[in-house]
């Protein structure tokens, strides 16, 4: 039998949380092995390198990682400034991966995790067996690695949610894929800009990513005649629709919602509420018509940007005994703290290894993946998660249980908008943040805030 104590802790994903986990393991004298599917660190963050975060540098670096970086001469950028995804990658994440050296393996796609010689059915000596991790290298060859524990920080970027409100692709969605994007477009790229300039684009979603896309498209519309957005929401518009505004303790996030509202108020976008897309039809001139579940048909559009959230890929964990919430696909102890059916405030109760544990001892889902389908994840949440988890793996229960984290409030409750009737969100007058949502009017000429006017692409939800 392999002595598990001599094996590395396998970390899946070399993103912000995965690299922080490796830094904490190194600090505790435990050997990490980070497996990254991409050819460099933070592959997902690089995909939205043009988006500015609504968290500052002071909220985007991990203390253990900073200690590891210090001997290399690294210095954290101005703590009060807002980096783009590209800044975050080049000035922090890739340098951290470089310092970790051969503890990070690139081109390693994890395809399965189990216990050595035990599928999920077998009980006998299960906890004494090491984890076995199957991966495929960039050249297509397969490999098996053994580990004493597994920290899955692979995120949710690779599995965006579809257009259909029932969680399934709308009829015709796959056939129309050439005109559909599930990412915030980089409109500074001439080729991407040409795709949307002078076109009518549907933006589907109600979160920070949708705000970012609407504000960016409004910027194009100012210079390119004929550019127009149709913002499609599955619910009505209320005071929470545009985020926390000036009440948000992350100012850039609040400004982003105001920028989206300005796009509508100033005529660069129309808002369509209570619309659940059932069918996407192709017109004779290769445009797309969205048909709702209630039979409504929208005017044809040229392009669709789908920003309806992300979901975890659990396929390679099927042989592990996980305890996941049936709705969010998040750990069952964590799910009630982040459930958008109840709230979406930033004041998530501090949590660590106990809330992230599963019946399969030694496996943890952390970072974005730990939130399952819930939104509003913050980088500092992931850093505190892995501090606690690595302490637990090291046997330091006292430190693992001492979870300390205070998150900035969003300024609103019900911001995920899972209620259909805006009035339904007002049932609890004693909400956890600002007053309950109130109906708002569109087209009132609200001015763009100074922060949002400075950079309308700031504050995307990605990695924030």
């Amino acid at each position: 039998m392999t002595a598990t104590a001599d094996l590395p802790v396998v970390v899946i994903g070399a993103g912000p949380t995965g690299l922080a986990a490796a830094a904490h393991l190194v600090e505790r004298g435990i050997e990490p092995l980070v497996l990254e599917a991409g050819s460099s660190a933070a592959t997902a963050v690089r995909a939205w390198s043009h988006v500015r975060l609504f968290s500052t540098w002071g909220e985007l670096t991990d203390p253990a990682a900073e200690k590891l970086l210090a001997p290399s001469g690294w210095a954290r950028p101005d703590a009060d400034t807002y980096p783009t995804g590209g800044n975050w990658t080049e000035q922090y994440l890739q340098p951290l991966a470089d310092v970790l050296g051969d503890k990070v393996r690139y081109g390693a796609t994890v395809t399965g995790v189990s216990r050595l010689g035990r599928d999920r059915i077998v009980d006998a000596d299960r906890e004494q067996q090491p984890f076995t991790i199957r991966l495929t290298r960039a050249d297509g060859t397969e490999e098996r690695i053994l580990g004493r524990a597994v920290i899955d920080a692979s995120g949710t970027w690779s599995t965006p949610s579809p257009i259909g409100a029932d969680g399934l692709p709308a009829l015709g969605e796959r056939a129309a894929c050439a005109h559909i994007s599930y990412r915030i477009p980089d409109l500074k790229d001439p080729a991407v800009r040409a795709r949307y300039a002078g076109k009518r684009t549907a933006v589907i979603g109600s979160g920070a990513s949708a705000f970012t896309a609407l504000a960016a498209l409004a910027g194009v519309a100012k210079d390119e005649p004929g550019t127009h957005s149709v913002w499609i929401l599955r619910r009505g518009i209320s005071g929470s629709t545009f985020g926390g505004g000036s009440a948000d303790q992350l100012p850039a996030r609040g400004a982003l919602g105001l920028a989206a509202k300005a796009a509508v108020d100033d005529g660069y976008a129309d808002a369509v509420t209570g619309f659940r897309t059932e069918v996407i039809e192709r017109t004779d001139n290769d445009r797309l018509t969205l048909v709702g579940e209630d039979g409504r048909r929208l005017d044809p559009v040229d392009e669709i940007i789908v920003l309806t959230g992300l979901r975890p890929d659990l396929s390679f964990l099927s042989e592990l005994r996980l305890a996941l919430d049936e709705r969010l696909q998040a750990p069952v102890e964590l799910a009630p703290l982040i459930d958008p059916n109840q709230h979406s405030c930033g004041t998530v109760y501090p949590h660590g290894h106990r809330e992230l544990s599963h019946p399969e001892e030694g496996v943890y889902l952390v970072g974005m993946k730990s939130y399952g389908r819930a939104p509003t994840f913050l980088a500092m949440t992931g850093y505190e998660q892995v501090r606690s988890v690595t302490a637990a793996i090291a046997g330091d229960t006292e430190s693992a249980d001492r979870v300390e984290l205070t998150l900035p409030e969003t300024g609103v409750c019900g911001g995920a908008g899972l209620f259909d009737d805006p009035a339904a969100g007002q049932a609890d007058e004693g909400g956890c943040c600002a007053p309950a949502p109130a109906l708002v009017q569109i087209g009132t000429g609200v001015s763009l805030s100074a922060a949002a006017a400075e950079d309308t692409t700031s504050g995307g939800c990605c990695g924030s």
Side-chain angles (χ1 to χ4, degrees):
M1 183 183 299
T2 303
T4 58
D6 296 332
L7 297 173
V9 172
V10 175
V11 180
I12 306 174
T17 309
L19 292 173
H24 280 275
L25 289 167
V26 169
E27 187 174 52
R28 288 185 169 275
I30 299 174
E31 183 69 14
L33 176 59
V34 183
L35 302 177
E36 167 59 43
S39 59
S40 58
T43 301
V45 180
R46 291 177 190 275
W48 50 268
S49 60
H50 58 290
V51 178
R52 192 170 300 282
L53 289 91
F54 51 61
S55 295
T56 64
W57 270 115
E59 298 158 334
L60 292 171
T61 58
D62 174 80
E66 289 189 15
K67 292 178 184 177
L68 196 61
L69 281 163
S72 70
W74 180 89
R76 185 176 67 184
D78 185 347
D80 295 326
T81 59
Y82 297 88
T84 63
N87 298 148
W88 198 19
T89 300
E90 298 304 328
Q91 298 178 42
Y92 170 66
L93 297 172
Q94 189 61 59
L96 177 55
D98 292 343
V99 168
L100 287 165
D102 59 7
K103 294 177 174 59
V104 181
R105 286 185 55 181
Y106 301 111
T109 301
V110 175
T111 58
V113 182
S114 187
R115 290 279 190 177
L116 184 63
R118 307 289 188 274
D119 63 20
R120 66 184 297 161
I121 298 175
V122 179
D123 290 334
D125 299 323
R126 185 178 190 86
E127 293 184 358
Q128 284 70 50
Q129 302 304 314
F131 289 97
T132 177
I133 298 89
R134 295 288 183 92
L135 61 89
T136 301
R137 302 191 193 98
D139 61 5
T141 58
E142 295 182 300
E143 183 180 351
R144 185 186 75 176
I145 292 174
L146 300 182
R148 60 183 287 190
V150 175
I151 299 176
D152 183 357
S154 60
T156 56
W157 180 255
S158 63
T159 47
S161 296
I163 291 175
D166 54 9
L168 302 174
L171 298 177
E173 182 172 345
R174 292 189 177 95
C177 63
H179 295 282
I180 300 176
S181 172
Y182 298 86
R183 311 300 185 197
I184 300 169
D186 181 3
L187 296 175
K188 294 180 180 179
D189 182 322
V192 177
R193 186 182 181 90
R195 177 176 177 177
Y196 298 99
K199 305 290 182 62
R200 181 177 170 86
T201 300
V203 177
I204 305 175
S206 60
S209 292
F211 294 167
T212 302
L214 288 166
L217 287 168
V220 174
K222 294 174 183 178
D223 301 322
E224 302 283 353
T227 305
H228 195 77
S229 301
V230 182
W231 185 21
I232 299 174
L233 300 100
R234 295 170 180 167
R235 62 180 177 96
I237 292 179
S238 74
S240 67
T241 298
F242 299 98
S246 60
D248 199 319
Q249 291 184 17
L250 289 176
R253 180 171 56 188
L256 182 63
L258 297 178
K261 188 175 190 303
V264 178
D265 290 339
D266 294 342
Y268 298 118
D270 298 320
V272 178
T273 61
F275 191 91
R276 293 175 173 79
T277 307
E278 182 176 24
V279 181
I280 300 174
E281 297 178 349
R282 302 286 287 271
T283 67
D284 292 339
N285 57 351
D286 201 33
R287 302 184 82 197
L288 305 174
T289 297
L290 277 65
V291 184
E293 292 178 352
D294 57 4
R296 278 189 290 168
R297 302 173 67 86
L298 303 184
D299 291 339
V301 298
D302 301 288
E303 299 288 337
I304 301 175
I305 299 174
V306 186
L307 300 167
T308 53
L310 304 165
R311 54 184 61 176
D313 177 8
L314 301 168
S315 61
F316 60 87
L317 303 177
S318 61
E319 291 306 315
L320 296 178
R321 298 174 177 180
L322 303 180
L324 298 175
D325 180 74
E326 67 275 10
R327 293 166 299 173
L328 299 184
Q329 296 178 298
V332 291
E333 296 298 325
L334 175 61
L337 309 180
I338 60 175
D339 188 352
N341 286 289
Q342 304 299 325
H343 64 84
S344 65
C345 299
T347 51
V348 175
Y349 183 83
H351 62 277
H353 74 110
R354 295 195 183 279
E355 290 82 4
L356 298 170
S357 296
H358 295 277
E360 194 78 70
E361 185 177 345
V363 61
Y364 301 92
L365 276 58
V366 299
M368 285 283 292
K369 193 159 188 177
S370 72
Y371 269 42
R373 299 192 182 198
T376 67
F377 179 81
L378 296 172
M380 63 182 82
T381 302
Y383 297 156
E384 179 59 18
Q385 286 179 343
V386 296
R387 187 207 61 77
S388 174
V389 164
T390 54
I393 292 173
D396 186 354
T397 305
E398 180 182 357
S399 178
D401 287 341
R402 192 178 62 251
V403 183
E404 300 174 358
L405 178 64
T406 301
L407 294 176
E409 295 181 359
T410 64
V412 295
C413 299
L418 297 189
F419 46 84
D420 298 329
D421 179 2
Q426 302 180 32
D428 183 4
E429 296 296 337
C432 53
C433 301
L439 293 176
V440 297
Q441 297 297 318
I442 297 297
T444 55
V446 173
S447 298
L448 188 65
S449 74
E454 181 180 348
D455 185 351
T456 55
T457 62
S458 68
C461 68
C462 310
S464 55

